[in-house]
Amino acid sequence: MKIALVGQPNSGKSTIFNSVAGYKSVTSNLAGTTVKFTRSRVRLNGNVYDLVDLPGTYSLSFSNEAEAEVSKYLLSEKFDLIINVIDASQLGRSLPLTLELLELNIPVLIALNMYDEAIRKGISIDVEKISRILGIRVQKTIASKNQGVRELFILAKEMIEKGQPSERPLIKCQRDVEEVIAEMESFIKENYSHPIAYPTRFMAIKLLEDDEFYRQQFFQQNGGVLSKKVEQLQRKLVELRGKPQDSIMLLERHSMAMEIYHETVQLGIPHKDWREKVDDFLMHRIGGYLVLLLVLLSLFYGVFQLGSFLEKILLNEFSSLEHILALYFKQNGLTFHILKSLIWGISGGIAIVLPYLLPFLIGLNVLEDIGYLPRVAFLMDAFMHKIGLHGTAIIPAVLGYGCNVPAVMATRILPSRRDKIIAAVIASMIPCSARSIVILGLVAFYLGPLWAFAVYVLNIFIIAISGKVLSHLLPEVTPGMILEIPSYRWPALRVIGLKTWFRIKEFLLYAWPLLIIGSLILGLMEFFELDRLINSVLFPLTSLLGLPAVIGTTLIFGVLRKELALIMLTQALGTTEILTVLTSLQVFTFTIFITFYIPCLATMAVLSRELGYKIMLNIVLFTLTLAIILSVIVNQAGHLFF
Amino acid sequence: MKSLLDIPAYKTVKIVNITGGKGSRRQLAQLGIGVGSTITIKRNAPFAGPLLIDNHGSSIAIGRGVAAKIMVEEV
């Protein structure tokens, strides 16, 4: 039994998914958070179901990649039930998708989510009436507080057990348009008697909508006659409605939706909303930027303060452990070497990475869940235009500060491939949390927070130039920003906790073992003096950057995961008192190199999947060259400062 | 004819035409904005940054390039 969660962006599909499946799908107050399908087997009242959380979509069309994926998936997989998640405070805008889903002839159940939000906005909804008009069941939910979700799935179970529902009323468009649809439908039926994969009426509507995907699929099989008929009927629609052909059906569904909306919704006086007032300030054209700067500064300063405090304490503990080790084992023996490497790896994860990663992720998660990121897009639109993109492209960039992998995937919200490529390059250049650990744990820790700030500023500056250059290389007019700005939401502590744990778990399960293994490998290489070989191969590079040859190996490890470079650095140098062996300038140069060179292995993989390996290789070459040039400049010019 | 850019904040307008690309028009239509829609401008900072409009209770940021192609009349 398969159930799909389908709904418009930011309606809370993943929140509902998580409340029955455990926290498996990242949630936030941001359209387009879910870019991949998350599936889980869930047990409900003794039955086991396959539940799939789909990315948000405004319609079953193919206008951007995220929507295309959902449409394809819904059409190709056989689902027993669709749970259509609707933001109750946005009912009018949400129903067009519902109308489309109803055309698929799969049982649909509506989850009227964020019901509290609707009440706050003074919207009262006649749930019975919606259910009657659409002929389907409707359940009120407040998924963030886990209300109504149980009832929702009990209903779902009932519906699946009962099988296909009895005839539900067909929701018709206005008569004139309905006639055109009927003509299209009967034309398809008469001429193409062989079974069509999708319901005929749905296909007829999609062909009239002029959707590229459905056209291609159908025209390839059936050629010119059909295409002529479609064009003829499309012209008829334009005559009837006097609107551009490509949006007629979409707007028709909207007017149907608004009709249902007006019949079922009573607008009262919204509760006095502090949130509008907040936006007056946060989106102000001067105040907004000040707040943005303040938010970012306090995030990084807060993370640094907390992180460095914990790092000092924890490192002390681990170094005393090492002293104890030295008492029991021979200092040059293999056992001592292995054990020491193990301790380095373990302590690297606990004492160096976690103190920064944890507060950083909590901060970023809070910003995401409040709904601040779309405001950042709004504020940064003008700036992004200067580098040939538009505001929407800032969202992957901001997500990149957490991790580049989801950031690159988030570029799917951009409709044009050209914008996608530039945004992906930018996203992979953003210092992710792993690189931030290097910046904070090395530069801020040893040289002071101001220098760390300089790294971030330099990074933004370089990214802006790279964006500008790229948009010159790929000249194409970008369509401009059209982005929904969601209401602020008070982040639920439980959700923040779960989400932080979800992301920390990724570190603990995948990255930390890698750190420990890396340490072990480096330890063994040092013992058998293999590291010298690598270091001597890399000597031209390290000497060019003015760095000691021993850290050559760390640069290799950094490709696997960026924080490895930091852990390996302390190990390669044999001390956490970095400044006793490196000069301040060397520390700074090393960090610049680590920040800019080659995205990590996981990012390379996702870049290659999203944009093709050629573009990925270009990005790798570009960032490597850029990192070398920058580091050489820093190393030369740095003598003026250090 | 006036474009959305010429309209100051807090005014309500009716869309009479949307010129320009199919992509933007579709994207707007998906959000329920098309010829005949009535929208309210919440924020229109001249010379810089996008517009913020209200469409049946949802806020939508629209870049200036797109806004220039939305022709409106005041109501």
Side-chain angles (χ1 to χ4, degrees):
Chain A
M1 288 297 169
K2 283 177 77 172
I3 305 176
L5 284 166
V6 185
Q8 295 193 340
N10 210 21
S11 59
K13 298 165 292 296
S14 298
T15 312
I16 289 185
F17 179 87
N18 288 341
S19 63
V20 288
Y23 202 98
K24 283 184 184 160
S25 195
V26 172
T27 53
S28 70
N29 187 8
L30 172 70
T33 303
T34 306
V35 280
K36 53 183 178 194
F37 310 143
T38 317
R39 48 170 75 230
S40 174
R41 313 207 112 223
V42 290
R43 183 176 285 279
L44 300 163
N45 302 17
N47 291 43
V48 178
Y49 297 102
D50 244 340
L51 186 64
V52 186
D53 181 26
L54 295 177
T57 178
Y58 286 106
S59 69
L60 296 183
S61 59
F62 281 70
S63 50
N64 73 40
E65 226 176 308
E67 295 190 343
E69 291 285 314
V70 176
S71 311
K72 253 186 236 166
Y73 194 69
L74 261 183
L75 292 168
S76 59
E77 300 261 320
K78 292 266 170 271
F79 282 102
D80 299 285
L81 179 75
I82 292 173
I83 296 181
N84 177 205
V85 185
I86 287 180
D87 175 352
S89 67
Q90 302 284 358
L91 185 63
R93 191 206 65 200
S94 310
L95 285 171
L97 176 64
T98 313
L99 293 174
E100 269 191 286
L101 291 173
L102 288 174
E103 301 287 354
L104 291 178
N105 292 346
I106 299 170
V108 176
L109 165 65
I110 290 182
L112 210 49
N113 195 28
M114 303 187 208
Y115 203 74
D116 48 347
E117 184 75 26
I119 293 172
R120 209 175 307 131
K121 284 189 176 170
I123 302 168
S124 70
I125 303 171
D126 188 342
V127 177
E128 285 292 307
K129 201 164 178 186
I130 297 184
S131 168
R132 214 166 44 240
I133 295 174
L134 296 174
I136 54 177
R137 312 282 292 267
V138 180
Q139 170 67 44
K140 290 189 254 184
T141 57
I142 307 171
S144 60
K145 293 177 187 155
N146 225 338
Q147 286 176 26
V149 178
R150 218 184 111 77
E151 290 81 352
L152 179 76
F153 281 94
I154 291 176
L155 264 183
K157 185 177 175 228
E158 259 177 52
M159 285 180 66
I160 291 177
E161 278 170 1
K162 259 199 274 172
Q164 280 280 350
S166 51
E167 278 300 295
R168 63 172 181 78
L170 185 66
I171 298 148
K172 291 191 168 163
C173 307
Q174 301 236 336
R175 201 140 101 238
D176 46 359
V177 173
E178 193 60 43
E179 273 166 15
V180 176
I181 297 174
E183 196 178 334
M184 189 74 241
E185 206 182 333
S186 62
F187 184 85
I188 297 175
K189 268 190 193 142
E190 274 164 33
N191 293 281
Y192 310 100
S193 49
H194 58 83
I196 307 160
Y198 320 130
T200 325
R201 190 181 148 83
F202 175 77
M203 203 60 215
I205 294 172
K206 283 295 165 199
L207 287 175
L208 291 172
E209 264 177 39
D210 211 20
D211 195 294
E212 224 40 68
F213 172 77
Y214 297 97
R215 266 180 75 113
Q216 272 181 11
Q217 258 213 338
F218 214 58
F219 287 1
Q220 254 172 14
Q221 298 166 21
N222 303 299
V225 194
L226 180 74
S227 132
K228 273 211 187 86
K229 184 77 185 169
V230 171
E231 270 165 35
Q232 177 213 328
L233 290 175
Q234 280 176 348
R235 272 199 301 276
K236 198 166 167 187
L237 280 177
V238 174
E239 273 169 39
L240 287 172
R241 283 290 181 270
K243 289 173 185 173
Q245 187 273 320
D246 48 50
S247 49
I248 289 182
M249 288 312 295
L250 290 168
L251 292 170
E252 199 63 24
R253 270 199 296 276
H254 261 277
S255 71
M256 288 157 73
M258 287 319 286
E259 231 169 85
I260 300 172
Y261 173 80
H262 287 305
E263 274 183 58
T264 54
V265 166
Q266 292 233 312
L267 289 177
I269 303 151
H271 289 219
K272 206 179 153 201
D273 211 1
W274 52 271
R275 289 176 287 191
E276 293 279 320
K277 293 254 179 328
V278 171
D279 265 344
D280 278 346
F281 195 61
L282 292 193
M283 291 168 89
H284 189 268
R285 66 192 151 115
I286 300 161
Y289 296 97
L290 288 178
V291 174
L292 176 61
L293 195 66
L294 214 66
V295 165
L296 292 180
L297 275 181
S298 48
L299 175 68
F300 283 102
Y301 196 69
V303 168
F304 166 69
Q305 284 298 332
L306 200 65
S308 58
F309 172 74
L310 292 173
E311 183 183 346
K312 270 181 206 150
I313 296 175
L314 290 168
L315 273 184
N316 251 333
E317 295 300 316
F318 277 105
S319 70
S320 55
L321 196 66
E322 214 185 298
H323 288 308
I324 296 170
L325 209 64
L327 297 178
Y328 291 93
F329 295 97
K330 248 204 344 255
Q331 293 255 6
N332 332 325
L334 183 60
T335 340
F336 179 74
H337 238 85
I338 289 174
L339 287 174
K340 200 178 91 178
S341 309
L342 274 179
I343 291 180
W344 278 108
I346 294 167
S347 75
I350 292 180
I352 301 180
V353 177
L354 276 184
Y356 295 101
L357 190 63
L358 191 67
F360 185 79
L361 286 180
I362 292 174
L364 205 64
N365 290 347
V366 168
L367 285 183
E368 266 181 31
D369 282 20
I370 288 177
Y372 188 57
L373 299 194
R375 270 89 186 167
V376 177
F378 180 87
L379 290 170
M380 297 304 283
D381 186 55
F383 170 77
M384 295 301 276
H385 270 289
K386 293 222 161 57
I387 61 171
L389 285 170
H390 57 82
T392 317
I394 198 85
I395 288 181
V398 176
L399 290 176
Y401 282 101
C403 174
N404 289 172
V405 174
V408 170
M409 283 167 78
T411 58
R412 285 186 195 169
I413 57 174
L414 297 166
S416 98
R417 181 171 162 86
R418 175 250 187 204
D419 288 4
K420 241 190 93 152
I421 293 175
I422 302 179
V425 174
I426 288 177
S428 60
M429 286 171 73
I430 294 277
C432 59
S433 55
R435 278 178 268 188
S436 278
I437 286 161
V438 182
I439 297 171
L440 294 175
L442 211 54
V443 172
F445 196 75
Y446 292 106
L447 308 180
L450 264 181
W451 285 106
F453 186 63
V455 176
Y456 286 106
V457 173
L458 177 71
N459 177 261
I460 290 175
F461 184 68
I462 297 296
I463 284 177
I465 294 175
S466 312
K468 185 102 192 148
V469 171
L470 272 175
S471 59
H472 272 290
L473 292 176
L474 303 165
E476 190 182 303
V477 186
T478 138
M481 173 166 72
I482 300 168
L483 180 73
E484 208 181 338
I485 310 287
S487 306
Y488 289 108
R489 262 175 235 150
W490 200 246
L493 267 184
R494 186 178 61 92
V495 177
I496 297 281
L498 285 170
K499 188 166 157 180
T500 307
W501 170 238
F502 181 79
R503 288 176 167 168
I504 287 283
K505 210 166 65 184
E506 274 185 352
F507 169 77
L508 292 179
L509 290 181
Y510 303 109
W512 200 26
L514 208 64
L515 282 181
I516 297 171
I517 295 169
S519 284
L520 206 57
I521 293 174
L522 186 63
L524 289 174
M525 277 178 14
E526 276 173 348
F527 186 78
F528 295 107
E529 298 186 344
L530 281 170
D531 58 327
R532 287 194 189 170
L533 187 68
I534 295 177
N535 288 338
S536 61
V537 171
L538 287 174
F539 180 72
L541 179 65
T542 42
S543 66
L544 186 66
L545 305 183
L547 298 171
V550 282
I551 66 174
T553 42
T554 66
L555 300 179
I556 301 276
F557 281 103
V559 181
L560 295 176
R561 296 228 8 147
K562 294 278 175 151
E563 64 272 64
L564 262 175
L566 174 59
I567 314 295
M568 299 295 129
L569 179 72
T570 52
Q571 192 177 353
L573 296 172
T575 174
T576 50
E577 301 288 323
I578 305 270
L579 283 185
T580 56
V581 272
L582 290 183
T583 66
S584 301
L585 179 59
Q586 283 174 323
V587 168
F588 197 71
T589 313
F590 177 79
T591 310
I592 291 289
F593 187 76
I594 293 294
T595 308
F596 284 96
Y597 90 128
I598 306 182
C600 71
L601 215 55
T603 309
M604 284 197 238
V606 75
L607 279 171
S608 161
R609 201 174 65 218
E610 293 289 315
L611 302 167
Y613 74 96
K614 272 188 192 153
I615 290 183
M616 184 272 285
L617 286 179
N618 277 320
I619 293 177
V620 168
L621 267 179
F622 168 67
T623 49
L624 189 60
T625 319
L626 182 70
I628 293 175
I629 293 172
L630 278 174
S631 313
V632 170
I633 293 174
V634 163
N635 186 40
Q636 294 304 321
H639 292 293
L640 301 172
F641 298 99
F642 292 102
Chain B
M1 218 181 330
K2 282 182 169 177
S3 85
L4 206 53
L5 283 182
D6 305 319
I7 310 293
Y10 312 115
K11 277 243 156 57
T12 299
V13 293
K14 191 175 168 182
I15 298 176
V16 290
N17 193 17
I18 302 176
T19 59
K22 176 176 165 175
S24 310
R25 210 155 45 211
R26 249 173 194 282
Q27 233 187 316
L28 287 167
Q30 286 182 348
L31 293 162
I33 301 170
V35 174
S37 308
T38 310
I39 54 174
T40 306
I41 288 128
K42 288 167 91 174
R43 208 168 286 274
N44 183 359
F47 310 118
L51 283 76
L52 190 66
I53 62 148
D54 178 89
N55 177 47
H56 298 289
S58 59
S59 301
I60 295 153
I62 294 183
R64 297 190 83 76
V66 180
K69 290 171 187 153
I70 302 178
M71 298 302 156
V72 294
E73 61 187 26
E74 292 183 39
V75 290

